[in-house]
Amino acid sequence: MNKEDHVLNAVLLGVGIAVLMDPTLSAATLENVFRIGVPVALGALFPDIDTAFGVHRKTFHNLPVLAGFVAFPLLFGNLYYVWVGVATHYVLDLFGTRGGMALLYPYPELFDIPVGVTVDSKKATVVTLAVTAIELAAVALAIDAGYTDLLGAPGVRDAFLNFVQSLT
């Protein structure tokens, strides 16, 4: 996908998650829009740093980078929700490129989804909106099932630290 579609997805996802987590549309909802939306947007833009440093869709478009963003809030207690943006960037690129991504980088094999559209396709924004709708439906199901902490809320870090302490 192109940068505009990544931003569109991130903004819609950030606002959507905030509203799903607090559907009262109150001041708390607006606070969630910024608390969740800004990190998601930053995460969604991060992988494309490899257009300037490294090899595009390889250096920062891979599962080890995503794992680092998932682990960061668990270890340090900040940067919640950035991993959501990174993950959605990957999903959009898998649907929005025919060239693939090196998900297991530095292993050179490229992975793609053969039903994707090209970056310059007139359907790219439609695909972005469809992917965003599917992502928000998945988040709604996770919230409904009681898995809010999986989104990166501070409770995950506490649970992780308690688990590590129980091992020692």
Side-chain angles (χ1 to χ4, degrees):
M1 289 296 155
N2 59 45
K3 291 176 186 169
E4 291 82 10
D5 286 327
H6 283 299
V7 172
L8 175 64
N9 171 261
V11 169
L12 293 175
L13 196 59
V15 171
I17 291 172
V19 171
L20 287 170
M21 292 182 71
D22 183 3
T24 63
L25 301 180
S26 64
T29 307
L30 183 60
E31 179 184 332
N32 275 346
V33 167
F34 288 101
R35 185 172 57 84
I36 296 167
V38 170
V40 170
L42 292 173
L45 297 175
F46 177 82
D48 280 339
I49 290 174
D50 65 11
T51 59
F53 303 102
V55 180
H56 188 51
R57 293 207 177 103
K58 290 185 179 182
T59 309
F60 293 114
H61 285 70
N62 56 68
L63 297 178
V65 168
L66 178 59
F69 279 104
V70 169
F72 201 93
L74 297 175
L75 298 172
F76 300 107
N78 60 13
L79 295 183
Y80 298 109
Y81 305 103
V82 173
W83 74 268
V84 175
V86 173
T88 193
H89 185 109
Y90 295 176
V91 170
L92 285 175
D93 275 359
L94 286 172
F95 282 99
T97 180
R98 300 277 170 99
M101 292 172 33
L103 289 175
L104 302 175
Y105 188 77
Y107 179 69
E109 181 76 22
L110 297 177
F111 297 88
D112 70 337
I113 297 174
V115 297
V117 297
T118 59
V119 173
D120 57 353
S121 169
K122 293 180 181 181
K123 298 177 184 175
T125 300
V126 173
V127 170
T128 297
L129 294 173
V131 168
T132 304
I134 292 167
E135 290 169 336
L136 286 171
V139 169
L141 289 172
I143 289 171
D144 189 53
Y147 294 109
T148 305
D149 286 348
L150 290 178
L151 293 172
V156 174
R157 178 176 186 262
D158 295 338
F160 176 74
L161 292 175
N162 289 337
F163 173 73
V164 170
Q165 285 179 341
S166 72
L167 295 176
T168 57

